[in-house]
Amino acid sequence: MIKLKLRKRTREVDETSRTNNSLGLMFWAAVSFLAVLTFCAIFADILPFKNPTQTFKGFNKNGPSGSFLLGNDGVGRDILSRVVYGAQTSLVIAVVGTSIALIIGGSIGLAAGYYRGKVDRLLTIMLNTTLIIPPLILFISLILFLDPAAERRMFILIFTFALLSIAPIGRVVRANTMAWSEREFVLAAQTIGARNGRVMFREILPNVAPSLISYSLIVMATLIIVEGAVAFLGLSVPSPTPTWGDMINKGRPHLDVAPHITLMPALSMFLTVLSLNFIGDKLQEKFESKAAIL
Amino acid sequence: MKFLKRNIGRIVLTGLVLVILFAWFARPPFSWTFGLLILVGAFGALVTDANYAARRIFSLIPVLLIVSFVVFSLMSSLPGDPALTILGAGATAESIAQLNQELGFDQPFFNRYGNWMGDVIVGDLGTSRILREDVADGISRSITPTLQLMAYSLILAVLIAVPAGMYSGYKNGTRQDRIISYTMLGFLAIPNFVLALVLVLFLAVGGVTIFGVDIGFRWLPAARYVPIGAGWSDHLKHMLLPSLSLAMSQAAVFMRLLRSDMIGTLRLPFIDLARSKGLKTGRILFRHALRPSSFTLITVMGLSVGSLIGGALITEYVFTLPGVGSYIFTGIFKRDFVAVQGAVLVISTLFIVVLTFSDLLYLALDPRLKHQSEAA
Amino acid sequence: MAGSGNLHLREQEKPLLRVEDLVVNFLSAGGETVQAVSGFSIDVLEGETLGLVGESGCGKSTTARAIIQSPKPTAGSIQLDGVELTELDDEEMRRTRPILQMIFQDPISSLNPRRTIRDVVAEPLYVWWEEETGRLAIASWFEKTGNLFQKISSKFSRPARILAPLAWLSLIFWLVSEASDERSLETWLSWLKTPAQFIGFPVLFILAAMAAALSVVGAVWLVLAVILPFGVISGKFGSVTNTVGLTGLFTSLFAVVFLFFRTWSSLGGVAHWLSSGILLLAVGFLAVWSLLACREPSRAGSSALAVLVFMLFAIQVFYIVGLDGNTKLAVFSLSAAVDGILYWLIARRYKLARAQMRQRAEPEVKRVLEAVGMEVEGSLERKPHEFSGGQAQRISIARALILNPKVVICDEPVSALDVSVQAQILNLLEDMKAAYGLTLVFIAHDLAVVKNISDRVAVMYLGKICEVGPPELLYSAPQHPYTRLLIDAIPRPDPEFDQRNAVRIEGELPSPLAPPSGCRFRTRCPNVQAKCSTEEPQMKEVASGHYVACHYPADSELNQ
């Protein structure tokens, strides 16, 4: 009996060490999915995709076929090209929103964690204020009321997304910076005569960066979901431009007869978010196990 | 004097209770939040000490003021003339001016804010001209389904997350762990409105055929809200799909947190001690490991109310539940900002109160922190 | 024990480091004052080694950190080579730091895990070299303009005094008019869009990028032109930089706030608000940064470059996002290409500059690493975690030595090391002291460690000094009961001596939140008297160079 248990244990240990050492096949699958999606989204105009706004008469609600790989939607448009063009919107909003939040939230968190004291208190209040109002509500009010003009939706979306992601990113960076500032090499750098800016960017930031990167991937995934939700409510980029959320919403009436209209964009969104989360997770794991050695 | 100084927290709390008792009778929805505030205060006073709880409650006041200001300025800076919206396109200039005067829109911004806040303090959120009803009444009517939805989802999420998280934390690194973890990662990636549609498709609408086999079921109703008054079983049956679609992503978040904390806790020496005492695994997990592993979970549960609110809004939209989400939506589409600002204020207040509550709960659960707060 | 008084300070000689009445208080989490160090005085002559001994929590490390001014002490005076460190401002202190180095307790934690040994050791050189010369070749352009402006402004200081307020006014006017013109951004965008339909996007985008770049450069020049004269008014750049910087910041803040409220009231459109806001912020940052250009051209060069790149990026983002779906791709890919080339160029320059600096630092790095007994071959490119604690401590010492310091403070440098390595590091420190003519302040919690290397030992208890003296006297005839207890606690290889019979220190170290009245050691002192709780003992000389702060030192009548 004891022998049996012992054997089992060793196998478990083996498996853990294996997953820790390499990133695994799933990781690379996720990366390549994202790479293909990004490539298609950027070069959608050059690649042989059909016009996403063109309606093909007689193909309404058709399932996947040879000429329409993912089928046609309620009015006969090609779902595949709409998914690809929808990826454009989602990716641009998520990437730009996260980058802005990364720059602002990152520097706020770095300063708050490094200087502490009054600076920290002030910046933390700033961060927490943006946490107060439930995100989606802030957002809908902003979109609907501030600028009904549809062309500028993208600006507001990015602005609000950035605003909403500043606080979480800032908090993560702040906590990490605080932990790393405890280390004596920070004091050592000050003793050498390095300026605060140099200490922050040369000594602390490289140590904070790994967890920051994996976290921002997860933020990006969240932004894609929220953008989907907003588009689902019909408040994202207006109609002729395809968005995943809008496609899902438009497919709802045909759910019983042609579920693929809803499921295809939902699936692409699911895979994108899943890949981002998975990559973020794996990187985090990798960095953590590395940090444990240090 | 010394008595005053030592018991300032209790005195202030008593005062607060009196004020709130007054407010309680003033108007329903706002006094709810006030009532929650007292509850949180009383709870805090119980689990930590009254002074600390009072300090926490009072530190909420500036926060609430900021929120109300943000909400008000957001709403009052909307484009378009509110009077014109109310009266419609055929209104004359005089009648618009008259209505503006009547509603106080001709006054300067800070006067309007002051008036509004004065009313809000006693629970009067204003009257919506467009929806033709008192905003406080509207919110108190529609907040019930929302709160029910959120509560059921939270309960479901915890019911799913805690066993799953504990089991996969315990089985860390094994195949079972990986299956659970990846499934949950998948649920994390499904937006709740997609999950709602999928659930409706397979469990309510039916008629999905793959290779001629019907794989859809018609077990559950797809939409419509049934209040508790119409029978518990019917009510829960109608709420199951909405709650489930809202709960799964939260469950995934909770489960992942609990799992990683559980792994950390199970590495601690006191677990080895418990094991060496010969305790059963189940007892070790539930009695010894769960509590120290759940601290982060509780904070995150408080924070998750924010995303629950957002999610509830969409879920209500998908399942056509008459909740606050639908209320805000109607307000937004009819450009009725009195209703929207009232609803947003109530929800934000709720959110803040719940956050404070979870903070205090965290204190209650983690004796180390309680000690620190007392030392402070 | 633990008394006050500065009798032990050697007034007749000129000490290299002189600490007088040092007080360090800090606030605990509960808002109470922790009296970590209260009235600590010591002096260290050139070439001397001071051993500072005490239990953990007695304020040794706090003293060490107060000496290097991080954080600054609450009160007291610290003189290094006649310079009063507590009165220096941050920048002056920073410039003083190279002669005052520190070695830390935890060797691994004091080395950045992400940098190679070569960079860790050479970092002090990089810091100060970059200060002297420009880091980037691109920066030299800014350097030149900075110098040029300095020349011009010093020549035309009189007209500048009149022109500066005007320039500021015009800047404010410009900002205000920019802010009040609601359509400006849209016209700008439409100007970009209309000819685009004729010329084609690629050409247009290059033009637009050039225009953007030019406008940014123009903004730099504008700001330089506006701010430099302002600096001239105050006579010199150095001391007023902060004032001017703040003014610049406030101006831009004012502009942003103004813009915010204006848009808030009229709701001109968020896009306009956003982009103008970002542009204004960038201008504000530029204002502050280019100020630094007056003082340190090399540094401002890279900062201005960063701002430039950021602004270019922001403009691109907002420009691209505002385009229609079909044109987005062309502009996006082109701008990505342009950015890519730009970043590649910058990165290449940067890499080149770093490579050059590495090369320049290499002999120096090798020299110190060899001096501390490290194998240079193969260790330069390795990371700190690949070394043992003793090796890492050697690297720390090398880093401290590379700047040729005068004083090195060793904060328990051997406490975290294996006993076998401790002696090696102690010997190394001795050797280094001789080779580099160092003055050491050696902190330890163990009397045995400091015995052989110190010229003078000070025993500390709860933020105060109990006893100071040359080690021969202090170890053979300890006067303070605390010192005696500490010496008794040293394990002896003497079979006759039973460690268990030695007098031990009873109880815990009292809380520095509420230290005992009178003598701070009285709560644990084996021969405590009534006087001890009422009166604080003062330093008195018991033998030549041997001082003690105790009412009843060992040699006094009462104990005999």
Side-chain angles (χ1 to χ4, degrees):
Chain A
M1 169 111 188
I2 289 167
K3 232 180 195 173
L4 194 80
K5 274 209 167 153
L6 274 177
R7 202 177 294 151
K8 201 178 165 199
R9 274 260 169 257
T10 41
R11 193 171 55 85
E12 278 170 21
V13 170
D14 280 352
E15 278 178 30
T16 348
S17 54
R18 187 168 55 86
T19 44
N20 277 350
N21 285 340
S22 69
L23 289 165
L25 196 68
M26 289 272 280
F27 178 83
W28 293 111
V31 170
S32 35
F33 172 77
L34 282 185
V36 169
L37 189 76
T38 319
F39 180 81
C40 289
I42 291 177
F43 297 103
D45 289 327
I46 302 166
L47 296 171
F49 289 117
K50 298 190 172 61
N51 185 345
T53 48
Q54 189 188 345
T55 54
F56 295 91
K57 289 213 171 80
F59 286 96
N60 301 10
K61 302 181 213 167
N62 266 16
S65 61
S67 50
F68 301 100
L69 287 176
L70 298 181
N72 301 62
D73 71 358
V75 285
R77 289 173 295 198
D78 178 28
I79 290 182
L80 176 66
S81 74
R82 284 182 72 74
V83 163
V84 169
Y85 277 86
Q88 260 183 8
T89 321
S90 287
L91 289 181
V92 163
I93 289 179
V95 170
V96 177
T98 315
S99 321
I100 294 177
L102 211 58
I103 292 172
I104 300 176
S107 24
I108 287 182
L110 207 56
Y114 179 72
Y115 288 109
R116 314 230 169 153
K118 276 179 195 153
V119 181
D120 181 28
R121 251 169 279 151
L122 186 78
L123 293 176
T124 315
I125 288 175
M126 269 169 65
L127 291 185
N128 284 349
T129 330
T130 59
L131 276 181
I132 288 170
I133 301 179
L136 205 68
I137 290 187
L138 166 75
F139 202 52
I140 287 168
S141 350
L142 270 178
I143 290 165
L144 264 173
F145 285 115
L146 277 187
D147 201 354
E151 317 91 59
R152 299 214 202 94
R153 282 280 166 79
M154 199 84 151
F155 280 102
I156 305 162
L157 281 169
I158 290 175
F159 170 68
T160 339
F161 279 144
L163 192 73
L164 290 174
S165 333
I166 284 174
I169 289 183
R171 293 172 84 145
V172 167
V173 175
R174 174 175 167 272
N176 268 308
T177 309
M178 278 193 163
W180 283 103
S181 305
E182 298 282 314
R183 297 274 191 122
E184 276 169 343
F185 69 78
V186 173
L187 186 59
Q190 291 166 344
T191 316
I192 285 163
R195 286 194 176 83
N196 286 334
R198 191 188 176 96
V199 179
M200 279 193 273
F201 287 101
R202 283 282 188 79
E203 307 283 341
I204 300 177
L205 190 63
N207 286 299
V208 173
S211 60
L212 184 60
I213 288 167
S214 50
Y215 186 69
S216 57
L217 284 179
I218 291 169
V219 168
M220 220 179 268
T222 318
L223 288 192
I224 288 179
I225 288 191
V226 179
E227 195 274 335
V230 172
F232 181 73
L233 298 173
L235 302 174
S236 183
V237 183
S239 202
T241 319
T243 52
W244 290 343
D246 185 51
M247 291 164 73
I248 295 170
N249 192 28
K250 291 276 158 60
R252 273 176 74 204
H254 319 295
L255 204 54
D256 45 350
V257 281
H260 71 274
I261 301 176
T262 308
L263 292 184
M264 290 307 173
L267 193 70
S268 55
M269 193 166 169
F270 168 71
L271 285 177
T272 313
V273 173
L274 186 67
S275 310
L276 282 172
N277 277 336
F278 192 77
I279 294 171
D281 263 22
K282 275 281 167 196
L283 286 182
Q284 182 85 39
E285 233 171 65
K286 181 102 181 157
F287 292 138
E288 257 171 23
S289 63
K290 223 179 175 181
I293 306 172
L294 301 183
Chain B
M1 211 50 227
K2 212 169 181 183
F3 171 81
L4 260 180
K5 219 174 172 183
R6 192 171 297 159
N7 290 303
I8 186 96
R10 287 183 187 85
I11 295 167
V12 166
L13 262 184
T14 325
L16 202 65
V17 168
L18 289 178
V19 170
I20 289 157
L21 274 180
F22 169 72
W24 185 283
F25 291 108
R27 264 286 152 60
F30 212 69
S31 54
W32 283 5
T33 45
F34 264 138
L36 267 173
L37 219 61
I38 316 182
L39 272 179
V40 171
F43 176 77
L46 262 178
V47 297
T48 60
D49 62 328
N51 285 345
Y52 180 74
R55 229 180 320 142
R56 279 308 299 268
I57 301 279
F58 273 88
S59 71
L60 289 184
I61 291 177
V63 178
L64 288 173
L65 277 178
I66 293 174
V67 172
S68 70
F69 185 76
V70 169
V71 168
F72 187 80
S73 34
L74 210 67
M75 294 300 158
S76 60
S77 62
L78 308 176
D81 192 336
L84 185 70
T85 323
I86 293 169
L87 295 174
T92 59
E94 289 114 57
S95 64
I96 288 175
Q98 198 202 341
L99 188 64
N100 266 340
Q101 197 187 1
E102 200 180 304
L103 298 174
F105 286 125
D106 53 343
Q107 288 179 16
F109 174 80
F110 282 100
N111 288 16
R112 277 184 286 147
Y113 175 66
N115 291 341
W116 181 67
M117 267 319 279
D119 289 345
V120 163
I121 296 282
V122 296
D124 179 9
L125 294 173
T127 310
S128 161
R129 291 282 174 140
I130 299 163
L131 302 177
R132 287 193 172 66
E133 78 173 331
D134 193 282
V135 175
D137 291 343
I139 295 170
S140 54
R141 174 172 43 75
S142 58
I143 206 165
T144 323
T146 309
L147 288 180
Q148 282 167 349
L149 180 63
M150 283 166 61
Y152 298 151
S153 316
L154 207 57
I155 292 169
L156 264 177
V158 171
L159 283 182
I160 297 167
V162 170
M166 278 170 71
Y167 185 72
S168 89
Y170 173 63
K171 291 269 179 186
N172 177 24
T174 61
R175 182 167 296 127
Q176 294 99 309
D177 170 38
R178 246 174 298 154
I179 289 170
I180 295 179
S181 295
Y182 287 160
T183 316
M184 283 306 186
L185 196 68
F187 276 116
L188 197 64
I190 305 181
N192 55 20
F193 57 95
V194 172
L195 185 62
L197 291 180
V198 172
L199 285 177
V200 166
L201 181 63
F202 284 109
L203 296 180
V205 176
V208 183
T209 47
I210 289 180
F211 303 119
V213 184
D214 189 346
I215 56 161
F217 301 94
R218 290 172 195 76
W219 288 344
L220 290 162
R224 199 160 67 82
Y225 173 71
V226 175
I228 299 181
W232 270 98
S233 67
D234 211 26
H235 169 71
L236 289 181
K237 217 161 131 190
H238 279 83
M239 290 302 273
L240 181 63
L241 282 187
S243 315
L244 200 63
S245 65
L246 190 51
M248 283 319 291
S249 60
Q250 297 301 326
V253 173
F254 295 168
M255 175 265 165
R256 285 153 53 88
L257 266 177
L258 186 62
R259 175 180 173 270
S260 68
D261 283 356
M262 199 78 185
I263 293 171
T265 311
L266 289 177
R267 285 202 189 121
L268 294 178
F270 76 91
I271 296 294
D272 290 336
L273 176 76
R275 250 191 218 128
S276 63
K277 280 196 291 191
L279 295 184
K280 279 182 189 153
T281 308
R283 196 180 162 84
I284 292 175
L285 286 182
F286 279 94
R287 281 298 178 78
H288 294 256
L290 182 58
R291 187 162 132 155
S293 316
S294 59
F295 300 144
T296 330
L297 182 64
I298 282 162
T299 329
V300 172
M301 268 166 72
L303 276 171
S304 77
V305 173
S307 46
L308 267 182
I309 290 171
L313 218 136
I314 297 177
T315 315
E316 281 167 21
Y317 173 74
V318 177
F319 289 95
T320 59
L321 301 177
V324 169
S326 313
Y327 185 78
I328 291 178
F329 252 98
T330 327
I332 285 172
F333 285 122
K334 293 193 175 167
R335 314 197 72 70
D336 179 4
F337 68 88
V338 180
V340 177
Q341 87 190 4
V344 171
L345 184 71
V346 168
I347 285 186
S348 308
T349 314
L350 252 174
F351 181 47
I352 294 164
V353 169
V354 172
L355 272 187
T356 318
F357 183 75
S358 77
D359 265 14
L360 288 172
L361 194 67
Y362 188 63
L363 270 184
L365 280 174
D366 194 341
R368 290 169 299 179
L369 282 176
K370 188 181 170 188
H371 182 75
Q372 276 169 21
S373 82
E374 272 165 7
Chain C
M1 88 98 151
S4 344
N6 297 328
L7 196 64
H8 58 293
L9 291 180
R10 291 161 289 192
E11 299 295 346
Q12 65 281 10
E13 286 160 274
K14 202 168 174 296
L16 184 59
L17 178 71
R18 187 173 191 275
V19 181
E20 199 176 337
D21 298 327
L22 181 75
V23 177
V24 184
N25 293 338
F26 42 85
L27 287 178
S28 75
E32 283 162 291
T33 311
V34 179
Q35 302 174 15
V37 180
S38 350
F40 176 93
S41 303
I42 203 77
D43 53 7
V44 191
L45 302 181
E46 186 150 9
E48 200 179 38
T49 300
L50 171 77
L52 188 58
V53 183
E55 285 173 89
S56 20
C58 74
K60 303 168 302 212
S61 294
T62 318
T63 310
R65 289 184 188 201
I67 292 173
I68 63 163
Q69 305 290 305
S70 126
K72 275 186 179 266
T74 316
S77 131
I78 295 161
Q79 285 180 3
L80 177 69
D81 215 4
V83 181
E84 179 59 56
L85 296 184
T86 49
E87 283 167 9
L88 298 182
D89 69 22
D90 288 353
E91 179 58 25
E92 287 164 340
M93 183 60 215
R94 204 178 65 77
R95 294 184 173 280
T96 318
R97 284 190 190 281
I99 59 167
L100 178 65
Q101 286 298 302
M102 190 157 168
I103 297 166
F104 300 93
Q105 177 173 359
D106 183 350
I108 301 286
S109 159
S110 64
L111 305 176
N112 191 337
R114 299 216 171 263
R115 310 191 75 178
T116 58
I117 296 312
R118 175 204 293 278
D119 283 348
V120 166
V121 176
E123 175 74 12
L125 296 179
Y126 298 163
V127 169
W128 293 103
W129 283 349
E130 282 175 21
E131 206 106 318
E132 291 160 17
T133 61
R135 184 198 320 158
L136 299 170
I138 296 171
S140 69
W141 183 80
F142 288 94
E143 202 177 326
K144 273 179 209 145
T145 55
N147 290 338
L148 185 69
F149 267 112
Q150 217 153 0
K151 261 183 215 155
I152 293 173
S153 51
S154 61
K155 231 173 223 172
F156 297 97
S157 63
R158 197 183 292 259
R161 274 173 219 203
I162 309 158
L163 283 175
L166 285 176
W168 273 96
L169 269 179
S170 63
L171 176 67
I172 293 169
F173 267 120
W174 175 67
L175 291 175
V176 170
S177 66
E178 171 71 20
S180 54
D181 182 9
E182 199 168 302
R183 300 255 151 239
S184 64
L185 184 83
E186 269 157 77
T187 18
W188 187 63
L189 278 178
S190 66
W191 169 75
L192 284 177
K193 270 183 190 168
T194 336
Q197 282 148 16
F198 302 101
I199 310 167
F201 293 104
V203 182
L204 175 87
F205 181 72
I206 294 167
L207 280 178
M210 275 166 62
L214 277 178
S215 69
V216 171
V217 174
V220 177
W221 280 82
L222 173 78
V223 173
L224 276 174
V226 169
I227 281 161
L228 273 159
F230 195 83
V232 172
I233 298 180
S234 346
K236 53 178 184 179
F237 290 111
S239 58
V240 281
T241 317
N242 291 339
T243 336
V244 184
L246 279 179
T247 326
L249 196 67
F250 277 127
T251 317
S252 46
L253 269 181
F254 163 77
V256 171
V257 169
F258 173 81
L259 190 69
F260 179 81
F261 276 110
R262 200 197 56 79
T263 347
W264 208 238
S265 50
S266 76
L267 290 158
V270 180
H272 170 61
W273 176 66
L274 254 181
S275 9
S276 329
I278 284 188
L279 280 176
L280 278 181
L281 267 177
V283 168
F285 280 131
L286 261 186
V288 179
W289 261 317
S290 52
L291 267 171
L292 294 165
C294 320
R295 202 160 145 200
E296 284 152 294
S298 63
R299 184 171 171 230
S302 49
S303 306
L305 186 75
V307 180
L308 197 142
V309 168
F310 174 71
M311 278 176 71
L312 203 65
F313 178 72
I315 291 169
Q316 275 175 13
V317 165
F318 281 97
Y319 177 65
I320 292 168
V321 166
L323 290 178
D324 317 333
N326 291 334
T327 61
K328 215 180 274 174
L329 169 85
V331 179
F332 174 76
S333 38
L334 260 164
S335 73
V338 170
D339 283 0
I341 293 170
L342 184 68
Y343 296 151
W344 181 71
L345 278 175
I346 293 170
R348 220 176 67 114
R349 283 278 178 205
Y350 186 78
K351 262 190 182 162
L352 255 167
R354 263 197 100 68
Q356 278 172 357
M357 208 147 63
R358 280 214 177 96
Q359 213 176 357
R360 199 179 140 196
E362 182 146 333
E364 194 80 349
V365 172
K366 281 188 173 161
R367 193 176 57 77
V368 282
L369 279 179
E370 270 161 20
V372 298
M374 286 286 293
E375 187 74 38
V376 176
E377 277 313 306
S379 63
L380 280 182
E381 304 306 325
R382 284 157 79 190
K383 300 265 171 80
H385 65 89
E386 299 173 47
F387 293 93
S388 70
Q391 284 173 314
Q393 198 59 289
R394 284 171 195 271
I395 294 166
S396 282
I397 295 171
R399 172 178 57 186
L401 290 180
I402 202 164
L403 284 173
N404 287 323
K406 285 184 180 167
V407 179
V408 176
I409 299 172
C410 312
D411 185 4
E412 306 202 26
V414 295
S415 308
L417 303 177
D418 290 344
V419 181
S420 56
V421 185
Q422 284 190 359
Q424 289 174 19
I425 296 291
L426 287 177
N427 288 338
L428 174 67
L429 281 170
E430 284 273 79
D431 295 347
M432 291 299 113
K433 189 190 158 189
Y436 286 79
L438 300 176
T439 304
L440 292 182
V441 176
F442 193 97
I443 297 172
H445 58 249
D446 187 353
L447 266 177
V449 166
V450 296
K451 187 175 175 183
N452 293 324
I453 68 164
S454 306
D455 300 316
R456 211 170 176 226
V457 175
V459 180
M460 218 179 151
Y461 183 80
L462 209 61
K464 297 204 174 206
I465 292 189
C466 331
E467 191 167 358
V468 187
E472 318 88 67
L473 278 176
L474 199 113
Y475 284 78
S476 59
Q479 295 299 310
H480 201 283
Y482 181 58
T483 320
R484 223 163 53 228
L485 291 170
L486 284 181
I487 289 173
D488 283 350
I490 304 174
R492 284 174 220 190
D494 179 1
E496 302 287 306
F497 178 78
D498 189 353
Q499 197 82 36
R500 282 168 296 183
N501 292 342
V503 192
R504 286 187 217 178
I505 308 175
E506 302 287 330
E508 290 284 309
L509 195 69
S511 162
L513 286 171
S517 63
C519 175
R520 288 195 169 179
F521 186 56
R522 68 176 167 84
T523 50
R524 296 162 78 190
C525 188
N527 38 359
V528 60
Q529 309 287 329
K531 193 182 172 189
C532 295
S533 61
T534 51
E535 210 176 298
E536 187 171 14
Q538 297 292 309
M539 275 289 173
K540 49 193 168 193
E541 189 164 13
V542 286
S544 170
H546 189 179
Y547 299 85
V548 68
C550 179
H551 293 304
Y552 310 101
D555 289 348
S556 72
E557 304 77 38
L558 192 118
N559 285 317
Q560 276 156 20

